[in-house]
Amino acid sequence: MTSKHARSAQPATGVAPAVYGQSDRPPRGDYSRAAADYTCAQDYAAYTEADHDTYRRLYERQSALLPGLASRHFIEALPRLGAKERIPRFDEVNERLYRATGWEIVGVPGLIPEVPFFSLLANRKFPVTDWIRTPGEFEYIVEPDIFHDLFGHVPLLFNPAIADYIQAYGQGGLRAAGLDACEMLSRLYWYTIEFGLVREDGGLRAYGAGILSSSGELAHCVQNPEPLRLPLTLERAMRTLYKIDSYQQTYFVIDSLQQLFDFTTQDFAPLYARLRNQPTVAAHTLEPADKPIAIC
Ligand SMILES: [Fe+2]
């Protein structure tokens, strides 16, 4: 799940779906099923055999790509998702996840606005879209579906450092909403939880869900010499614009998963105040102070 940067469109009934940018079609997902906090029960009976087959094929293809490209923490945690032949039941995942880190996954009909998103994370509840892409979208889907949310995000919720970081992000998001700083904070989420790289075993590995659930970007982000790779600093990441419709042109690298949580122990309010006086940076723009990381 990602909050991106949303506005709300008021529907005739139910909660308001999240809308991003301009689109020729309405938001996907049945928001009339959602409660006021945007959560909904996983409608397991609604999955068809074709849905389960899509999940099985996505899981099989993606898990085969992980060695040497994905963080070992992710690879080690992946089996804890459970079933790979069929779409997992959220309550069965939660039995293991809650015991491990106190987190739960909750169903949502699709993208949700920022404040409900932050509120769920602050309470150690991770929103997972409960529908799956069509077979025709096997290679690419615009918005997150259950495969992105479950396969990409949930394994690292079993990791204590990531579990604490995402909760801190949610708590920080609620504060940022009061400071009109959500856009800056959302860039940090984008460049860490969605598209982050970590140093491991003498090289770089992916830990971001947007990468881990993408067949093409996984090798691209680790092996292609084209994109910029920079050590993660809060200021640089929060100033950097990002692409939502292509591979990233800049990736930020951390030394360890624990480093992510350590970043959140400082007060972001003075940081936001400083950043308001600084220009944003286009993706793939090298600044004089940057120290790009070369790949071997
Ligand atoms: Fe995501």
Short mmCIF file of all heavy atoms in Angstrom, two decimals, residues 190-229:
data_model
loop_
_atom_site.label_atom_id
_atom_site.label_comp_id
_atom_site.label_asym_id
_atom_site.label_seq_id
_atom_site.Cartn_x
_atom_site.Cartn_y
_atom_site.Cartn_z
N TRP A 190 8.46 6.94 -0.28
CA TRP A 190 8.67 6.46 -1.64
C TRP A 190 10.09 5.91 -1.81
O TRP A 190 10.30 4.82 -2.34
CB TRP A 190 8.44 7.61 -2.63
CG TRP A 190 8.47 7.20 -4.06
CD1 TRP A 190 9.53 7.25 -4.90
CD2 TRP A 190 7.39 6.64 -4.82
NE1 TRP A 190 9.19 6.78 -6.14
CE2 TRP A 190 7.88 6.40 -6.12
CE3 TRP A 190 6.05 6.35 -4.51
CZ2 TRP A 190 7.08 5.87 -7.12
CZ3 TRP A 190 5.26 5.82 -5.51
CH2 TRP A 190 5.77 5.58 -6.79
N TYR A 191 11.06 6.67 -1.33
CA TYR A 191 12.46 6.30 -1.56
C TYR A 191 13.00 5.30 -0.53
O TYR A 191 14.17 4.92 -0.61
CB TYR A 191 13.33 7.56 -1.59
CG TYR A 191 13.23 8.30 -2.91
CD1 TYR A 191 12.77 9.60 -2.97
CD2 TYR A 191 13.59 7.66 -4.10
CE1 TYR A 191 12.67 10.26 -4.19
CE2 TYR A 191 13.48 8.32 -5.32
CZ TYR A 191 13.03 9.62 -5.36
OH TYR A 191 12.94 10.26 -6.58
N THR A 192 12.17 4.91 0.42
CA THR A 192 12.59 3.87 1.37
C THR A 192 11.68 2.66 1.25
O THR A 192 12.05 1.68 0.62
CB THR A 192 12.61 4.42 2.82
OG1 THR A 192 11.31 4.90 3.19
CG2 THR A 192 13.65 5.51 2.97
N ILE A 193 10.49 2.75 1.76
CA ILE A 193 9.61 1.58 1.81
C ILE A 193 9.17 1.11 0.42
O ILE A 193 8.95 -0.07 0.20
CB ILE A 193 8.37 1.92 2.67
CG1 ILE A 193 8.80 2.04 4.13
CG2 ILE A 193 7.28 0.87 2.54
CD1 ILE A 193 9.54 0.84 4.67
N GLU A 194 9.08 2.01 -0.54
CA GLU A 194 8.69 1.58 -1.88
C GLU A 194 9.88 1.27 -2.79
O GLU A 194 9.85 0.30 -3.55
CB GLU A 194 7.81 2.64 -2.55
CG GLU A 194 6.44 2.83 -1.92
CD GLU A 194 5.53 1.63 -2.08
OE1 GLU A 194 5.83 0.71 -2.85
OE2 GLU A 194 4.47 1.61 -1.40
N PHE A 195 10.95 2.07 -2.71
CA PHE A 195 12.03 1.90 -3.69
C PHE A 195 13.42 1.96 -3.06
O PHE A 195 14.38 2.37 -3.71
CB PHE A 195 11.90 2.94 -4.82
CG PHE A 195 10.70 2.68 -5.69
CD1 PHE A 195 9.49 3.30 -5.45
CD2 PHE A 195 10.77 1.74 -6.72
CE1 PHE A 195 8.37 3.02 -6.23
CE2 PHE A 195 9.67 1.44 -7.50
CZ PHE A 195 8.46 2.08 -7.25
N GLY A 196 13.54 1.49 -1.82
CA GLY A 196 14.82 1.57 -1.13
C GLY A 196 15.78 0.45 -1.47
O GLY A 196 15.39 -0.67 -1.79
N LEU A 197 17.07 0.80 -1.39
CA LEU A 197 18.16 -0.17 -1.53
C LEU A 197 18.97 -0.20 -0.24
O LEU A 197 19.10 0.82 0.45
CB LEU A 197 19.10 0.21 -2.69
CG LEU A 197 18.52 0.27 -4.10
CD1 LEU A 197 19.62 0.66 -5.10
CD2 LEU A 197 17.90 -1.05 -4.50
N VAL A 198 19.55 -1.36 0.06
CA VAL A 198 20.36 -1.52 1.26
C VAL A 198 21.68 -2.20 0.88
O VAL A 198 21.71 -3.03 -0.03
CB VAL A 198 19.59 -2.33 2.34
CG1 VAL A 198 19.21 -3.72 1.85
CG2 VAL A 198 20.37 -2.41 3.65
N ARG A 199 22.74 -1.79 1.57
CA ARG A 199 24.03 -2.45 1.36
C ARG A 199 24.00 -3.81 2.06
O ARG A 199 23.68 -3.90 3.24
CB ARG A 199 25.17 -1.62 1.97
CG ARG A 199 25.41 -0.29 1.32
CD ARG A 199 26.58 0.39 2.02
NE ARG A 199 26.70 1.79 1.69
CZ ARG A 199 27.42 2.24 0.66
NH1 ARG A 199 28.07 1.38 -0.13
NH2 ARG A 199 27.51 3.53 0.42
N GLU A 200 24.35 -4.84 1.30
CA GLU A 200 24.41 -6.20 1.88
C GLU A 200 25.42 -7.02 1.12
O GLU A 200 25.47 -6.94 -0.13
CB GLU A 200 23.05 -6.91 1.76
CG GLU A 200 22.15 -6.74 2.95
CD GLU A 200 20.84 -7.50 2.78
OE1 GLU A 200 20.79 -8.48 2.01
OE2 GLU A 200 19.87 -7.09 3.41
N ASP A 201 26.20 -7.80 1.84
CA ASP A 201 27.10 -8.78 1.20
C ASP A 201 27.99 -8.14 0.13
O ASP A 201 28.21 -8.73 -0.94
CB ASP A 201 26.29 -9.93 0.60
CG ASP A 201 25.43 -10.63 1.65
OD1 ASP A 201 25.86 -10.67 2.82
OD2 ASP A 201 24.33 -11.10 1.30
N GLY A 202 28.47 -6.94 0.40
CA GLY A 202 29.40 -6.28 -0.52
C GLY A 202 28.74 -5.67 -1.75
O GLY A 202 29.44 -5.19 -2.65
N GLY A 203 27.43 -5.64 -1.80
CA GLY A 203 26.74 -5.05 -2.95
C GLY A 203 25.47 -4.34 -2.50
O GLY A 203 25.31 -4.01 -1.33
N LEU A 204 24.59 -4.09 -3.44
CA LEU A 204 23.31 -3.45 -3.13
C LEU A 204 22.19 -4.46 -3.33
O LEU A 204 22.24 -5.29 -4.24
CB LEU A 204 23.09 -2.24 -4.04
CG LEU A 204 24.14 -1.14 -3.98
CD1 LEU A 204 23.78 0.00 -4.93
CD2 LEU A 204 24.30 -0.62 -2.56
N ARG A 205 21.19 -4.36 -2.47
CA ARG A 205 20.03 -5.23 -2.56
C ARG A 205 18.77 -4.39 -2.35
O ARG A 205 18.81 -3.40 -1.65
CB ARG A 205 20.07 -6.34 -1.49
CG ARG A 205 21.30 -7.25 -1.56
CD ARG A 205 21.25 -8.18 -2.74
NE ARG A 205 22.37 -9.11 -2.74
CZ ARG A 205 23.55 -8.90 -3.31
NH1 ARG A 205 23.77 -7.76 -3.95
NH2 ARG A 205 24.50 -9.81 -3.27
N ALA A 206 17.67 -4.84 -2.94
CA ALA A 206 16.40 -4.12 -2.83
C ALA A 206 15.65 -4.53 -1.56
O ALA A 206 15.59 -5.71 -1.23
CB ALA A 206 15.54 -4.40 -4.05
N TYR A 207 15.08 -3.52 -0.89
CA TYR A 207 14.14 -3.83 0.19
C TYR A 207 12.80 -3.10 -0.01
O TYR A 207 11.87 -3.29 0.75
CB TYR A 207 14.73 -3.49 1.57
CG TYR A 207 14.84 -2.02 1.85
CD1 TYR A 207 13.79 -1.31 2.44
CD2 TYR A 207 15.99 -1.31 1.50
CE1 TYR A 207 13.89 0.06 2.69
CE2 TYR A 207 16.09 0.05 1.73
CZ TYR A 207 15.05 0.73 2.33
OH TYR A 207 15.13 2.09 2.56
N GLY A 208 12.69 -2.27 -1.04
CA GLY A 208 11.46 -1.52 -1.30
C GLY A 208 10.42 -2.37 -2.02
O GLY A 208 10.73 -3.10 -2.96
N ALA A 209 9.17 -2.23 -1.58
CA ALA A 209 8.11 -3.09 -2.12
C ALA A 209 7.82 -2.83 -3.59
O ALA A 209 7.44 -3.74 -4.33
CB ALA A 209 6.83 -2.87 -1.32
N GLY A 210 7.99 -1.59 -4.03
CA GLY A 210 7.75 -1.30 -5.44
C GLY A 210 8.73 -2.03 -6.34
O GLY A 210 8.40 -2.40 -7.48
N ILE A 211 9.93 -2.23 -5.83
CA ILE A 211 10.93 -2.99 -6.57
C ILE A 211 10.67 -4.49 -6.43
O ILE A 211 10.68 -5.22 -7.42
CB ILE A 211 12.35 -2.68 -6.04
CG1 ILE A 211 12.67 -1.20 -6.12
CG2 ILE A 211 13.38 -3.51 -6.81
CD1 ILE A 211 13.94 -0.80 -5.37
N LEU A 212 10.44 -4.92 -5.22
CA LEU A 212 10.34 -6.36 -4.95
C LEU A 212 9.15 -7.00 -5.64
O LEU A 212 9.14 -8.21 -5.88
CB LEU A 212 10.26 -6.59 -3.44
CG LEU A 212 11.55 -6.22 -2.69
CD1 LEU A 212 11.28 -6.09 -1.19
CD2 LEU A 212 12.64 -7.25 -2.95
N SER A 213 8.13 -6.20 -5.97
CA SER A 213 6.98 -6.76 -6.66
C SER A 213 7.02 -6.49 -8.16
O SER A 213 6.07 -6.78 -8.87
CB SER A 213 5.68 -6.18 -6.06
OG SER A 213 5.67 -4.76 -6.20
N SER A 214 8.16 -5.98 -8.65
CA SER A 214 8.30 -5.69 -10.08
C SER A 214 9.34 -6.61 -10.70
O SER A 214 10.47 -6.71 -10.20
CB SER A 214 8.75 -4.23 -10.27
OG SER A 214 9.29 -4.03 -11.57
N SER A 215 8.98 -7.25 -11.79
CA SER A 215 9.93 -8.19 -12.41
C SER A 215 11.09 -7.45 -13.07
O SER A 215 12.23 -7.90 -13.04
CB SER A 215 9.22 -9.07 -13.44
OG SER A 215 8.69 -8.27 -14.47
N GLY A 216 10.82 -6.28 -13.65
CA GLY A 216 11.87 -5.59 -14.39
C GLY A 216 12.75 -4.71 -13.53
O GLY A 216 13.96 -4.64 -13.71
N GLU A 217 12.15 -4.03 -12.55
CA GLU A 217 12.92 -3.04 -11.79
C GLU A 217 13.89 -3.69 -10.81
O GLU A 217 14.86 -3.07 -10.37
CB GLU A 217 11.98 -2.07 -11.07
CG GLU A 217 12.72 -0.86 -10.51
CD GLU A 217 11.88 0.38 -10.38
OE1 GLU A 217 10.68 0.32 -10.70
OE2 GLU A 217 12.43 1.42 -9.97
N LEU A 218 13.62 -4.93 -10.46
CA LEU A 218 14.48 -5.62 -9.50
C LEU A 218 15.93 -5.69 -10.00
O LEU A 218 16.86 -5.30 -9.30
CB LEU A 218 13.91 -7.02 -9.26
CG LEU A 218 14.42 -7.84 -8.09
CD1 LEU A 218 14.40 -7.06 -6.78
CD2 LEU A 218 13.60 -9.11 -7.96
N ALA A 219 16.13 -6.13 -11.21
CA ALA A 219 17.49 -6.19 -11.76
C ALA A 219 17.98 -4.79 -12.14
O ALA A 219 19.14 -4.45 -11.94
CB ALA A 219 17.53 -7.11 -12.98
N HIS A 220 17.07 -3.98 -12.66
CA HIS A 220 17.43 -2.61 -13.08
C HIS A 220 18.05 -1.82 -11.94
O HIS A 220 19.09 -1.18 -12.08
CB HIS A 220 16.18 -1.91 -13.61
CG HIS A 220 16.34 -0.46 -13.86
ND1 HIS A 220 16.81 0.04 -15.06
CD2 HIS A 220 16.08 0.62 -13.07
CE1 HIS A 220 16.85 1.36 -14.98
NE2 HIS A 220 16.42 1.73 -13.80
N CYS A 221 17.42 -1.87 -10.77
CA CYS A 221 17.86 -0.99 -9.67
C CYS A 221 19.19 -1.43 -9.10
O CYS A 221 19.94 -0.62 -8.56
CB CYS A 221 16.79 -0.93 -8.59
SG CYS A 221 16.64 -2.41 -7.60
N VAL A 222 19.49 -2.72 -9.21
CA VAL A 222 20.74 -3.24 -8.63
C VAL A 222 21.87 -3.25 -9.65
O VAL A 222 23.02 -2.97 -9.31
CB VAL A 222 20.51 -4.66 -8.07
CG1 VAL A 222 21.83 -5.30 -7.63
CG2 VAL A 222 19.53 -4.62 -6.90
N GLN A 223 21.54 -3.54 -10.90
CA GLN A 223 22.60 -3.83 -11.88
C GLN A 223 22.77 -2.79 -12.98
O GLN A 223 23.83 -2.72 -13.60
CB GLN A 223 22.32 -5.20 -12.52
CG GLN A 223 22.36 -6.33 -11.51
CD GLN A 223 21.92 -7.67 -12.10
OE1 GLN A 223 21.19 -7.71 -13.09
NE2 GLN A 223 22.35 -8.75 -11.48
N ASN A 224 21.74 -2.01 -13.28
CA ASN A 224 21.86 -1.06 -14.40
C ASN A 224 22.70 0.15 -13.98
O ASN A 224 22.41 0.77 -12.96
CB ASN A 224 20.46 -0.61 -14.84
CG ASN A 224 20.49 0.14 -16.16
OD1 ASN A 224 21.28 1.07 -16.33
ND2 ASN A 224 19.64 -0.25 -17.08
N PRO A 225 23.72 0.52 -14.73
CA PRO A 225 24.56 1.66 -14.33
C PRO A 225 23.87 3.01 -14.51
O PRO A 225 24.37 4.02 -14.01
CB PRO A 225 25.77 1.54 -15.28
CG PRO A 225 25.27 0.77 -16.45
CD PRO A 225 24.21 -0.16 -15.94
N GLU A 226 22.74 3.07 -15.18
CA GLU A 226 22.11 4.36 -15.51
C GLU A 226 21.60 5.16 -14.30
O GLU A 226 21.89 6.34 -14.17
CB GLU A 226 20.96 4.13 -16.49
CG GLU A 226 21.42 3.86 -17.91
CD GLU A 226 22.02 5.10 -18.54
OE1 GLU A 226 21.40 6.17 -18.43
OE2 GLU A 226 23.11 5.00 -19.12
N PRO A 227 20.79 4.56 -13.41
CA PRO A 227 20.19 5.39 -12.35
C PRO A 227 21.22 5.87 -11.33
O PRO A 227 22.26 5.24 -11.13
CB PRO A 227 19.17 4.45 -11.69
CG PRO A 227 19.59 3.08 -12.06
CD PRO A 227 20.28 3.17 -13.37
N LEU A 228 20.88 6.99 -10.70
CA LEU A 228 21.71 7.50 -9.60
C LEU A 228 21.45 6.67 -8.35
O LEU A 228 20.29 6.32 -8.06
CB LEU A 228 21.30 8.93 -9.27
CG LEU A 228 22.00 10.10 -9.92
CD1 LEU A 228 21.37 11.39 -9.39
CD2 LEU A 228 23.48 10.07 -9.61
N ARG A 229 22.49 6.41 -7.60
CA ARG A 229 22.33 5.75 -6.29
C ARG A 229 23.05 6.62 -5.28
O ARG A 229 24.26 6.85 -5.40
CB ARG A 229 22.90 4.34 -6.33
CG ARG A 229 22.17 3.44 -7.31
CD ARG A 229 22.87 2.12 -7.51
NE ARG A 229 22.17 1.27 -8.47
CZ ARG A 229 22.33 1.35 -9.80
NH1 ARG A 229 23.18 2.21 -10.33
NH2 ARG A 229 21.64 0.56 -10.59
#
